[in-house]
Amino acid sequence: MIVKVTNIKYKIIYYAMFIIIDLVSFVSMSQTKDVKFINRSDIYIKNKNLLFVNSRYVVCNLDTICIGKDTTYTKIVFCTEIDKKTRTKIFYDSIKHKACKKRYTKSLYKLLFKKQKKKKDTSIIEKKENQYLKYKSKIIRKIHVKRIDVFGESFDTSIIKNTNLLGKLGNRLHINTKERIIRNSFLIKQGEPLNPYILADNERLFRNLDNINDIRININQIGNTDSVDVTFLIQDLWSIGLDARIKNYDNYDIKIYDANFLGLGRKIENNIYYNSKESLPYGYSANIGVSNIQKSFVSAKLNYLNAFSEEYFRLNFYRPFISSKIKYAGGFKFEKYINHIDATTTDTGIVEIPVSYYNHDLWIGRSFTINKRGLMNNNKRKLYLSTRYIYKKYKKKFDVQEDDNLKFFDQHLFLTSVSYSKQSYYKTKMVYGFNRTEDIPYGHLVSLTFGRNYNEFYKQYYCGLTLSKAAYVSKFGYINSYFSFGTYIRDKKMQLGIVKFHLNYFSNLHKFRNYYVRQFINLKYIKGINSLNNDSLKINSSDGIRGLNTNIYGQTAMAFNIETVLVTPWYYWGFNFAIFIFYDIATIGDKTNLFENKLYSGIGLGIRITNENMVINTLQLRIAYYPKSPADIKPFLLNISTGKSLKLNNFEGQIPSLIDKE
């Protein structure tokens, strides 16, 4: 029997009863039922249930949300555990969905329920280990590896991307990273207690790999036991591509690469160079990279270049301090280098002088945990001890004198460093990327380096100090600062000294309708102390003013860069778009007072087009105006470039090094 209610008063009472009955049924269903309709198209399924979708059964090993269109489910999102807050949100969303179908119930809904204000977006989402803390010390029963497609899928359950024909073709052609290669990079083992800090390190380690786009680690507790299953949900990058860098029509290079050859995690690059101004206008280089050899976290790189007048061969094995679990690190590099360098003589003017050398570089380091309170605690305070030996022997070179052409000296360099570090990471988005999770370091580092250099004329001592700190300040943003000082000491006097200060800042993320805005500020100061002939600082496109493709030299330099980025909601065929404006100003010269040196500046705007499913993921178009620039630089410049996201300084133990001028 169907009862039709016509009176408005009784309609309101009827729908109010409907909402109350729905509330009671939800409470009982959350306790007894395994399947829950969120709305007409989305359902929540308790773990260990079957879902019949697209003519096949899917086993839901974890609590699962299925997102679809009407009754055609296009996406299954594996969740760790639907907590009480998420269950409550699902309930209220279902009430709103049903109530808003009718005008009367919609009005009643507005009377009964308060509209929730959206939280203001900030640049920081969470500390990376927070989500794993509640599973601390649970025994790992099994470790699973699951994949999501390169194109058309996202970890964000609020984003539903329809895979177009091109994306479907790409998913079919792509070779996923082999599961054994993924398992080789695990820092955890079955049968061991779960350490949330090591697991967070493992997540970051995967995101730093050239062949991985993003990762989620889901944990499912097994009933009322003390055991858990850990699932690594991984999305590869589209690894094959073409990259072109065009300075102008007669100066460019083209790169063809595969960052995940045959799914083995091997990186292969081939580069072709052209510059019509060179006597030999064509060049070629090849690079091969292998990461984590035999589960040792030792990586290798092989590089060869023969371009214009330059040729080198380089072989490098290295194991860095990539995690708090790594106690020993080190590396070995061999390099053979040949070049022809222009030199000015009093007799014949400019001549080409052949230069060639062999370089051997060996280092080893050890980390120690400070204030160790047990393996399961956040032991981020570390002491690092490292030592390094460099032997450089020239076969052909310039004529050298005791205080001239120092970089062409044969040398034996011994360095030792002691570092104290505290480091962790935040997880966030839309800093240097779009929807991909980014790991932002915070903490501090104090490092002291000392050593001795033997060259063909004399011996000299070296000492250096590095201080760095980074933090997120609520309602302000993120600050990363760096100070370093290093100098040789000879006859009780400083020689070839360097003082550097860097400051990087980015603001919180501010939302305006569907657009997001973030501000970036960079400051860099560098000064040489008692520099000798042919040893000076420089500013150029990468160190000062973007697009300034020339070197300007001096003994004191400072650069200030400001950029405003507008992240748009535009999304086409997997590509995201961001618009930016920038202003760069730099000064360099031989005078101690910065304001007495010559000033250079550049202002402009551009657009970044990013597809985060690809290794070379960003195409940048930029137009700049240089009101104050060197004579050989045109006042207007249109630049097209590609590249990956920038990286912030971290606070891990590093290879002992001289403070450089870059």
Side-chain angles (χ1 to χ4, degrees), residues 323-365:
S323 165
S324 56
K325 193 174 182 179
I326 301 296
K327 293 183 179 180
Y328 292 94
F332 170 75
K333 181 172 70 175
F334 169 78
E335 180 182 19
K336 179 183 179 181
Y337 182 86
I338 301 172
N339 200 355
H340 289 77
I341 299 176
D342 291 340
T344 302
T345 65
T346 56
D347 300 330
T348 59
I350 298 177
V351 296
E352 281 193 353
I353 296 179
V355 173
S356 65
Y357 65 79
Y358 292 93
N359 187 52
H360 302 78
D361 190 340
L362 175 67
W363 76 279
I364 188 170

Side-chain angles (χ1 to χ4, degrees), residues 364-388:
I364 188 170
R366 173 72 158 89
S367 69
F368 301 88
T369 300
I370 299 177
N371 293 332
K372 192 172 184 179
R373 298 168 294 173
L375 294 175
M376 291 296 135
N377 289 288
N378 185 10
N379 299 310
K380 296 301 180 183
R381 291 180 174 87
K382 294 283 186 179
L383 181 69
Y384 297 95
L385 298 178
S386 302
T387 187
R388 183 181 184 185

